[in-house]
Each structure stands twice: as C-alpha cells, then as structure tokens.
Amino acid sequence: VAQAAKMIGDIKYKEAGDALIPVLQHSYPRAIFFAAQALGRIEHSAAVTPIIQMIEKNNDEDIYLRHARILALSRIGQIEPVTALSTSNSRALRIAAVLVLRRLRNEQVEIFLQDKDEYIVTEAARAINDDLSIEKALPALAATLTEKRFTSEPLLRRGINACLRVGGEKEMDVLIAFAKRTELPAAIRAEALATLGVWAN
C-alpha cells in the first residue's frame, strides 16, 4: 500500500486521488506518509479536510506524519481552510496552519500573531521575518512590540527587525516606547536602541 501510494505521487496520477484519501487512516504509518505526500503532489483539493482532521488526531505525536500533511496542504494551496484554523481549539492545528502559510509565503499568517499561545505567535514571527520574509505582514509583526504579554526573545528580536524593515514614523515611535520599558531584559532593550541608532541609514 505504501509503495503504491508513493508511486502514484511520483508519477502524479491525479485519477487516484479519491482512492488515496482512505489510506490517510491506514494502520501503517508509512502508508499514511506516502498517501499524504501523493495527495499533495497531485493537488487533490478533496483531501484538505481529511488531512486537517488527521493533523488534529495526531496532535503532534508523530512529527514525520505532521510534516507530510503540512507539505500536502501547502502543495494543494488552499488558503481559506488553513486560515480558518486560527480559531481552532487544537494547538496542533494552529501550529500546522502557521507552517503551511509559511511555506506558501502567504501574508494571512499575520492572523496568528494574535494567538493566545506565545509559541505559535513566535512561529508566525519566524514565518514573516525569516527566509525571504513575507513583506506584507511585516507591519503586523512590528506592532507586536506594543503588546506587553510577550517575553520570547526570538519573537521580540523579530519584532524589532520588522520595525526597521518597515521603517515608518509609526514603527520608530513603537521602537522608542519599547526601548523605554524597564521590565524588559537589558540585551533586548540594547538591541532596540542599536536599531534606532541605524534608523537613518
């Protein structure tokens, strides 16, 4: 079953899409892995909901299967069902959504900057700032520095960088106010001040 699913994906045999969907619930993990990969390769849109359901069921227990499903969703490329996961109670689904949107370099990932879980917000910040970045979402990332609920250094440093990248008066004011916050670690405040020091450049 696993090798059949793998072959279908390799040759991108689109007619097998509906037959592959039940394999997502197979008892053998490798069969599930290759079925998800194949469904992504053939861009089978009917697989989006079953894949999302399986991500929730997996609950991040098997990172290889999570990766296969995230890759499948990103290859299928449907944005709306993925962004809708921002209101899900499942942490695993919200993390997966951020990772899919990062692969797609879609600015809707900024929705997850409002998440209640700081880890997910930080993953959204990585998606926006890192690699080639998602420029349209940089203003939203810069604005996270106005919130006092965040303590994650990777998140705060990316927020500082986003302020510099956007480079407007609003972002400069945000950065000045951020640098004045005495409850922050000295290294983070120093980073904000150093960024203001090169602002004119």
Side-chain angles (χ1 to χ4, degrees), residues 142-162:
T144 59
L145 295 188
T146 63
E147 296 193 49
K148 295 187 176 180
R149 66 187 177 106
F150 298 129
T151 59
S152 167
E153 185 172 329
L155 169 58
L156 296 177
R157 287 186 181 277
R158 285 167 173 81
I160 291 169
N161 188 57

Side-chain angles (χ1 to χ4, degrees), residues 98-110:
V98 171
L99 297 176
V100 170
L101 293 169
R102 178 176 182 169
R103 283 186 166 274
L104 292 171
R105 296 185 62 199
N106 188 281
E107 64 269 19
Q108 292 298 313
V109 72
E110 70 180 46

Side-chain angles (χ1 to χ4, degrees), residues 96-195:
V98 171
L99 297 176
V100 170
L101 293 169
R102 178 176 182 169
R103 283 186 166 274
L104 292 171
R105 296 185 62 199
N106 188 281
E107 64 269 19
Q108 292 298 313
V109 72
E110 70 180 46
I111 296 169
F112 292 88
L113 294 173
Q114 307 302 319
D115 200 276
K116 59 189 177 183
D117 188 315
E118 189 166 7
Y119 175 82
I120 293 173
V121 178
T122 303
E123 285 301 306
R126 289 189 172 101
I128 294 166
N129 178 82
D130 296 5
D131 303 325
L132 298 175
S133 76
I134 303 172
E135 291 190 20
K136 289 182 179 179
L138 285 171
L141 176 54
T144 59
L145 295 188
T146 63
E147 296 193 49
K148 295 187 176 180
R149 66 187 177 106
F150 298 129
T151 59
S152 167
E153 185 172 329
L155 169 58
L156 296 177
R157 287 186 181 277
R158 285 167 173 81
I160 291 169
N161 188 57
C163 284
L164 182 63
R165 291 281 306 280
V166 178
E169 288 187 16
K170 177 183 176 182
E171 287 73 30
M172 183 170 64
D173 290 341
V174 165
L175 205 50
I176 291 169
F178 179 81
K180 290 179 178 179
R181 286 170 51 190
T182 55
E183 82 278 9
L184 292 169
I188 294 294
R189 296 176 67 198
E191 182 74 17
L193 289 170
T195 302

Side-chain angles (χ1 to χ4, degrees), residues 48 73-74 76-85 100-101 104-109 111:
V48 169
L73 289 176
S74 64
I76 294 169
Q78 290 190 4
I79 302 298
E80 189 174 340
V82 177
T83 56
L85 299 177
V100 170
L101 293 169
L104 292 171
R105 296 185 62 199
N106 188 281
E107 64 269 19
Q108 292 298 313
V109 72
I111 296 169

